[in-house]
Amino acid sequence: MSSTAVVVPSLLIILLLWQLYRLYRACCRANRVDWGRGWMNLLDGLNRLFCYRYHRLNLLGIRLPRSGPAIVVANHVSGLDPLLLLASSRRPLRFIIAREEYERFGLNWLFRAIGCIPVDRQKRPEQALREALRCLRKGEVVALFPHGKIHLNSDPPRRIKAGAIRLSQITGAPVLPHRISGIRGAGGVISGVLLRSRARIRAHSPIYPEEWGKDQLYGLVQGILDGGDDREAAVAI
């Protein structure tokens, strides 16, 4: 065997290991949330690199109180949306997701690790509500997409689900609405993740339940998520 046949593969292996080490260091630097496990913190950093560098997400994060309960809601345009919210947050987000998504093969371990709350809309949806209430009472942040599924501006109007409103009124936690835009693969789960975007998140001021009646609160959140409320309180980030 020639020396070249030995040296070239060895150099390639060394180069690969060096690149993996650089990626590891970059993930460590990008990490902004302590998930309680080292490998999850690395995933947090990797997701932030993916969203900020590949999808060119605008740099400032979503607006969250430094502590205490909060409910993050956003419009849902693609499979990229949860990654964008996670990448923009300085606190862990407990997503409420459909049970069929929660139990998806190959991803269930990840959904469990980040504390997603599965909801079974057909059988016992109140179980997810109770778990979300427990999280909020512990001072955690719950996140959900009230449209219930991907919904584009070009789609027929769709009433949002009232779960976020109920949670806010029961616990007193503020609702923090956000509008996601600039997604090249909008409308698709996989295409939204793979096609490079210029992702944008537009934050609106927190909505406190004590300031609004149930119907008013519902209409306000619906208007923001549908893009029909451009109040001065909205802040482009």
Side-chain angles (χ1 to χ4, degrees):
M1 181 181 295
S2 67
S3 59
T4 302
V6 175
V7 171
V8 172
S10 299
L11 289 176
L12 291 176
I13 292 173
I14 293 172
L15 179 61
L16 176 61
L17 292 175
W18 172 245
Q19 292 300 325
L20 289 175
Y21 175 74
R22 291 185 62 193
L23 178 61
Y24 166 79
R25 295 299 301 166
C27 291
C28 289
R29 290 192 298 269
N31 171 234
R32 293 292 182 272
V33 172
D34 183 6
W35 290 89
R37 300 177 185 176
W39 64 270
M40 288 183 61
N41 291 346
L42 285 177
L43 284 181
D44 178 87
L46 180 62
N47 179 58
R48 291 172 194 272
L49 291 175
F50 177 66
C51 290
Y52 286 117
R53 296 190 181 183
Y54 182 71
H55 285 290
R56 296 173 287 188
L57 177 63
N58 47 325
L59 294 179
L60 297 180
I62 62 177
R63 305 176 69 187
L64 285 175
R66 292 186 178 182
S67 61
I71 302 167
V72 171
V73 297
N75 59 318
H76 195 13
V77 297
S78 76
L80 181 65
D81 304 342
L83 301 183
L84 295 176
L85 292 178
L86 286 168
S88 299
S89 176
R90 292 300 183 97
R91 296 177 61 185
L93 302 180
R94 299 287 301 273
F95 281 93
I96 298 178
I97 65 174
R99 178 165 291 279
E100 57 269 25
E101 296 298 328
Y102 181 80
E103 295 178 348
R104 187 178 291 276
F105 177 76
L107 291 176
N108 177 256
W109 66 273
L110 180 59
F111 294 147
R112 286 178 180 273
I114 65 176
C116 289
I117 303 171
V119 56
D120 191 332
R121 301 190 185 101
Q122 303 301 321
K123 296 182 180 179
R124 303 186 67 181
E126 69 278 3
Q127 289 184 337
L129 178 65
R130 286 197 294 267
E131 176 63 16
L133 286 172
R134 186 185 68 82
C135 294
L136 290 169
R137 286 166 177 158
K138 288 173 56 181
E140 299 183 42
V141 182
V142 171
L144 63 157
F145 300 103
H147 280 118
K149 63 179 183 180
I150 290 176
H151 182 267
L152 306 181
N153 291 342
S154 57
D155 293 337
R158 178 181 177 85
R159 287 179 61 83
I160 63 173
K161 300 182 183 299
I165 310 303
R166 291 179 62 191
L167 290 170
S168 178
Q169 290 193 312
I170 293 172
T171 64
V175 178
L176 287 78
H178 296 80
R179 280 276 300 171
I180 297 172
S181 62
I183 309 303
R184 184 180 173 193
V189 176
I190 303 300
S191 61
V193 175
L194 296 182
L195 297 178
R196 193 181 191 199
S197 302
R198 192 173 292 278
R200 293 292 178 268
I201 295 179
R202 183 178 176 87
H204 289 250
S205 295
I207 303 173
Y208 295 92
E210 61 269 19
E211 298 176 0
W212 306 89
K214 179 180 178 181
D215 293 339
Q216 291 176 311
L217 183 57
Y218 182 96
L220 184 58
V221 173
Q222 175 91 60
I224 293 174
L225 298 189
D226 287 344
D229 185 353
D230 290 324
R231 300 177 302 161
E232 292 181 0
V235 181
I237 56 177

PDB file of all heavy atoms in Angstrom, residues 94 117 128-140 142 167 171:
ATOM      1  N   ARG A  94     -42.404  25.695  26.488  1.00  0.00           N
ATOM      2  CA  ARG A  94     -43.147  24.444  26.576  1.00  0.00           C
ATOM      3  C   ARG A  94     -44.246  24.476  25.528  1.00  0.00           C
ATOM      4  O   ARG A  94     -45.296  25.079  25.715  1.00  0.00           O
ATOM      5  CB  ARG A  94     -43.741  24.271  27.975  1.00  0.00           C
ATOM      6  CG  ARG A  94     -42.721  24.211  29.100  1.00  0.00           C
ATOM      7  CD  ARG A  94     -41.966  22.895  29.120  1.00  0.00           C
ATOM      8  NE  ARG A  94     -42.856  21.752  29.275  1.00  0.00           N
ATOM      9  CZ  ARG A  94     -43.265  21.265  30.451  1.00  0.00           C
ATOM     10  NH1 ARG A  94     -42.875  21.832  31.580  1.00  0.00           N
ATOM     11  NH2 ARG A  94     -44.049  20.212  30.491  1.00  0.00           N
ATOM     12  N   ILE A 117     -46.032  19.560  25.432  1.00  0.00           N
ATOM     13  CA  ILE A 117     -47.272  19.097  26.056  1.00  0.00           C
ATOM     14  C   ILE A 117     -48.184  18.561  24.961  1.00  0.00           C
ATOM     15  O   ILE A 117     -48.691  19.339  24.137  1.00  0.00           O
ATOM     16  CB  ILE A 117     -47.962  20.240  26.809  1.00  0.00           C
ATOM     17  CG1 ILE A 117     -47.016  20.832  27.864  1.00  0.00           C
ATOM     18  CG2 ILE A 117     -49.271  19.769  27.432  1.00  0.00           C
ATOM     19  CD1 ILE A 117     -47.539  22.114  28.498  1.00  0.00           C
ATOM     20  N   ALA A 128     -54.197  18.211  28.546  1.00  0.00           N
ATOM     21  CA  ALA A 128     -53.162  19.160  28.120  1.00  0.00           C
ATOM     22  C   ALA A 128     -53.368  20.514  28.802  1.00  0.00           C
ATOM     23  O   ALA A 128     -52.400  21.181  29.185  1.00  0.00           O
ATOM     24  CB  ALA A 128     -53.185  19.318  26.600  1.00  0.00           C
ATOM     25  N   LEU A 129     -54.638  20.915  28.967  1.00  0.00           N
ATOM     26  CA  LEU A 129     -54.923  22.176  29.644  1.00  0.00           C
ATOM     27  C   LEU A 129     -54.422  22.140  31.081  1.00  0.00           C
ATOM     28  O   LEU A 129     -53.799  23.091  31.551  1.00  0.00           O
ATOM     29  CB  LEU A 129     -56.427  22.453  29.610  1.00  0.00           C
ATOM     30  CG  LEU A 129     -56.887  23.726  30.326  1.00  0.00           C
ATOM     31  CD1 LEU A 129     -56.326  24.961  29.643  1.00  0.00           C
ATOM     32  CD2 LEU A 129     -58.415  23.790  30.390  1.00  0.00           C
ATOM     33  N   ARG A 130     -54.661  21.030  31.777  1.00  0.00           N
ATOM     34  CA  ARG A 130     -54.202  20.918  33.161  1.00  0.00           C
ATOM     35  C   ARG A 130     -52.688  20.954  33.255  1.00  0.00           C
ATOM     36  O   ARG A 130     -52.119  21.574  34.163  1.00  0.00           O
ATOM     37  CB  ARG A 130     -54.751  19.632  33.792  1.00  0.00           C
ATOM     38  CG  ARG A 130     -56.237  19.689  34.123  1.00  0.00           C
ATOM     39  CD  ARG A 130     -56.613  18.583  35.086  1.00  0.00           C
ATOM     40  NE  ARG A 130     -56.472  17.272  34.478  1.00  0.00           N
ATOM     41  CZ  ARG A 130     -57.449  16.619  33.875  1.00  0.00           C
ATOM     42  NH1 ARG A 130     -58.654  17.172  33.770  1.00  0.00           N
ATOM     43  NH2 ARG A 130     -57.254  15.420  33.361  1.00  0.00           N
ATOM     44  N   GLU A 131     -52.005  20.282  32.319  1.00  0.00           N
ATOM     45  CA  GLU A 131     -50.545  20.290  32.337  1.00  0.00           C
ATOM     46  C   GLU A 131     -50.009  21.688  32.046  1.00  0.00           C
ATOM     47  O   GLU A 131     -49.048  22.146  32.678  1.00  0.00           O
ATOM     48  CB  GLU A 131     -50.005  19.296  31.307  1.00  0.00           C
ATOM     49  CG  GLU A 131     -48.482  19.272  31.166  1.00  0.00           C
ATOM     50  CD  GLU A 131     -47.761  18.849  32.430  1.00  0.00           C
ATOM     51  OE1 GLU A 131     -48.403  18.281  33.340  1.00  0.00           O
ATOM     52  OE2 GLU A 131     -46.546  19.088  32.516  1.00  0.00           O
ATOM     53  N   ALA A 132     -50.641  22.388  31.105  1.00  0.00           N
ATOM     54  CA  ALA A 132     -50.219  23.754  30.792  1.00  0.00           C
ATOM     55  C   ALA A 132     -50.442  24.674  31.990  1.00  0.00           C
ATOM     56  O   ALA A 132     -49.598  25.533  32.292  1.00  0.00           O
ATOM     57  CB  ALA A 132     -50.976  24.270  29.573  1.00  0.00           C
ATOM     58  N   LEU A 133     -51.560  24.490  32.686  1.00  0.00           N
ATOM     59  CA  LEU A 133     -51.816  25.289  33.889  1.00  0.00           C
ATOM     60  C   LEU A 133     -50.749  25.031  34.950  1.00  0.00           C
ATOM     61  O   LEU A 133     -50.280  25.960  35.611  1.00  0.00           O
ATOM     62  CB  LEU A 133     -53.204  24.956  34.442  1.00  0.00           C
ATOM     63  CG  LEU A 133     -54.404  25.508  33.663  1.00  0.00           C
ATOM     64  CD1 LEU A 133     -55.704  24.941  34.217  1.00  0.00           C
ATOM     65  CD2 LEU A 133     -54.426  27.025  33.698  1.00  0.00           C
ATOM     66  N   ARG A 134     -50.380  23.772  35.104  1.00  0.00           N
ATOM     67  CA  ARG A 134     -49.345  23.425  36.081  1.00  0.00           C
ATOM     68  C   ARG A 134     -48.027  24.120  35.737  1.00  0.00           C
ATOM     69  O   ARG A 134     -47.350  24.661  36.617  1.00  0.00           O
ATOM     70  CB  ARG A 134     -49.150  21.914  36.111  1.00  0.00           C
ATOM     71  CG  ARG A 134     -48.202  21.428  37.193  1.00  0.00           C
ATOM     72  CD  ARG A 134     -47.963  19.941  37.093  1.00  0.00           C
ATOM     73  NE  ARG A 134     -47.222  19.611  35.893  1.00  0.00           N
ATOM     74  CZ  ARG A 134     -45.887  19.704  35.801  1.00  0.00           C
ATOM     75  NH1 ARG A 134     -45.184  20.122  36.838  1.00  0.00           N
ATOM     76  NH2 ARG A 134     -45.281  19.386  34.674  1.00  0.00           N
ATOM     77  N   CYS A 135     -47.669  24.119  34.468  1.00  0.00           N
ATOM     78  CA  CYS A 135     -46.424  24.760  34.036  1.00  0.00           C
ATOM     79  C   CYS A 135     -46.458  26.265  34.293  1.00  0.00           C
ATOM     80  O   CYS A 135     -45.483  26.848  34.781  1.00  0.00           O
ATOM     81  CB  CYS A 135     -46.189  24.491  32.551  1.00  0.00           C
ATOM     82  SG  CYS A 135     -45.880  22.763  32.143  1.00  0.00           S
ATOM     83  N   LEU A 136     -47.582  26.899  33.963  1.00  0.00           N
ATOM     84  CA  LEU A 136     -47.690  28.344  34.160  1.00  0.00           C
ATOM     85  C   LEU A 136     -47.633  28.698  35.644  1.00  0.00           C
ATOM     86  O   LEU A 136     -47.013  29.700  36.031  1.00  0.00           O
ATOM     87  CB  LEU A 136     -48.992  28.856  33.529  1.00  0.00           C
ATOM     88  CG  LEU A 136     -49.031  28.836  32.001  1.00  0.00           C
ATOM     89  CD1 LEU A 136     -50.444  29.112  31.500  1.00  0.00           C
ATOM     90  CD2 LEU A 136     -48.055  29.853  31.415  1.00  0.00           C
ATOM     91  N   ARG A 137     -48.254  27.889  36.467  1.00  0.00           N
ATOM     92  CA  ARG A 137     -48.236  28.160  37.904  1.00  0.00           C
ATOM     93  C   ARG A 137     -46.847  27.969  38.501  1.00  0.00           C
ATOM     94  O   ARG A 137     -46.553  28.480  39.582  1.00  0.00           O
ATOM     95  CB  ARG A 137     -49.274  27.294  38.601  1.00  0.00           C
ATOM     96  CG  ARG A 137     -50.703  27.797  38.357  1.00  0.00           C
ATOM     97  CD  ARG A 137     -51.756  26.791  38.741  1.00  0.00           C
ATOM     98  NE  ARG A 137     -53.093  27.366  38.550  1.00  0.00           N
ATOM     99  CZ  ARG A 137     -54.199  26.647  38.392  1.00  0.00           C
ATOM    100  NH1 ARG A 137     -54.134  25.310  38.404  1.00  0.00           N
ATOM    101  NH2 ARG A 137     -55.356  27.243  38.222  1.00  0.00           N
ATOM    102  N   LYS A 138     -45.996  27.223  37.792  1.00  0.00           N
ATOM    103  CA  LYS A 138     -44.604  27.066  38.208  1.00  0.00           C
ATOM    104  C   LYS A 138     -43.740  28.202  37.672  1.00  0.00           C
ATOM    105  O   LYS A 138     -42.541  28.243  37.926  1.00  0.00           O
ATOM    106  CB  LYS A 138     -44.050  25.728  37.712  1.00  0.00           C
ATOM    107  CG  LYS A 138     -44.590  24.519  38.444  1.00  0.00           C
ATOM    108  CD  LYS A 138     -44.132  23.231  37.780  1.00  0.00           C
ATOM    109  CE  LYS A 138     -42.632  23.145  37.667  1.00  0.00           C
ATOM    110  NZ  LYS A 138     -42.193  21.895  36.993  1.00  0.00           N
ATOM    111  N   GLY A 139     -44.344  29.110  36.892  1.00  0.00           N
ATOM    112  CA  GLY A 139     -43.591  30.234  36.352  1.00  0.00           C
ATOM    113  C   GLY A 139     -42.930  29.965  35.018  1.00  0.00           C
ATOM    114  O   GLY A 139     -42.022  30.695  34.620  1.00  0.00           O
ATOM    115  N   GLU A 140     -43.386  28.947  34.298  1.00  0.00           N
ATOM    116  CA  GLU A 140     -42.787  28.600  33.014  1.00  0.00           C
ATOM    117  C   GLU A 140     -43.488  29.333  31.871  1.00  0.00           C
ATOM    118  O   GLU A 140     -44.509  30.005  32.060  1.00  0.00           O
ATOM    119  CB  GLU A 140     -42.842  27.086  32.809  1.00  0.00           C
ATOM    120  CG  GLU A 140     -42.072  26.303  33.855  1.00  0.00           C
ATOM    121  CD  GLU A 140     -42.087  24.810  33.576  1.00  0.00           C
ATOM    122  OE1 GLU A 140     -41.937  24.405  32.420  1.00  0.00           O
ATOM    123  OE2 GLU A 140     -42.260  24.041  34.538  1.00  0.00           O
ATOM    124  N   VAL A 142     -45.364  28.876  28.262  1.00  0.00           N
ATOM    125  CA  VAL A 142     -46.070  27.943  27.387  1.00  0.00           C
ATOM    126  C   VAL A 142     -46.228  28.601  26.015  1.00  0.00           C
ATOM    127  O   VAL A 142     -46.547  29.797  25.922  1.00  0.00           O
ATOM    128  CB  VAL A 142     -47.448  27.575  27.973  1.00  0.00           C
ATOM    129  CG1 VAL A 142     -48.282  26.789  26.971  1.00  0.00           C
ATOM    130  CG2 VAL A 142     -47.274  26.778  29.262  1.00  0.00           C
ATOM    131  N   LEU A 167     -56.157  29.857  29.272  1.00  0.00           N
ATOM    132  CA  LEU A 167     -54.992  29.759  30.143  1.00  0.00           C
ATOM    133  C   LEU A 167     -54.650  31.116  30.758  1.00  0.00           C
ATOM    134  O   LEU A 167     -54.322  31.221  31.944  1.00  0.00           O
ATOM    135  CB  LEU A 167     -53.792  29.223  29.369  1.00  0.00           C
ATOM    136  CG  LEU A 167     -53.847  27.755  28.936  1.00  0.00           C
ATOM    137  CD1 LEU A 167     -52.707  27.436  27.985  1.00  0.00           C
ATOM    138  CD2 LEU A 167     -53.787  26.840  30.161  1.00  0.00           C
ATOM    139  N   THR A 171     -54.902  31.911  34.863  1.00  0.00           N
ATOM    140  CA  THR A 171     -53.651  32.113  35.600  1.00  0.00           C
ATOM    141  C   THR A 171     -53.237  33.579  35.736  1.00  0.00           C
ATOM    142  O   THR A 171     -52.397  33.906  36.570  1.00  0.00           O
ATOM    143  CB  THR A 171     -52.501  31.359  34.910  1.00  0.00           C
ATOM    144  OG1 THR A 171     -52.290  31.917  33.593  1.00  0.00           O
ATOM    145  CG2 THR A 171     -52.821  29.874  34.786  1.00  0.00           C
TER     146      THR A 171
END
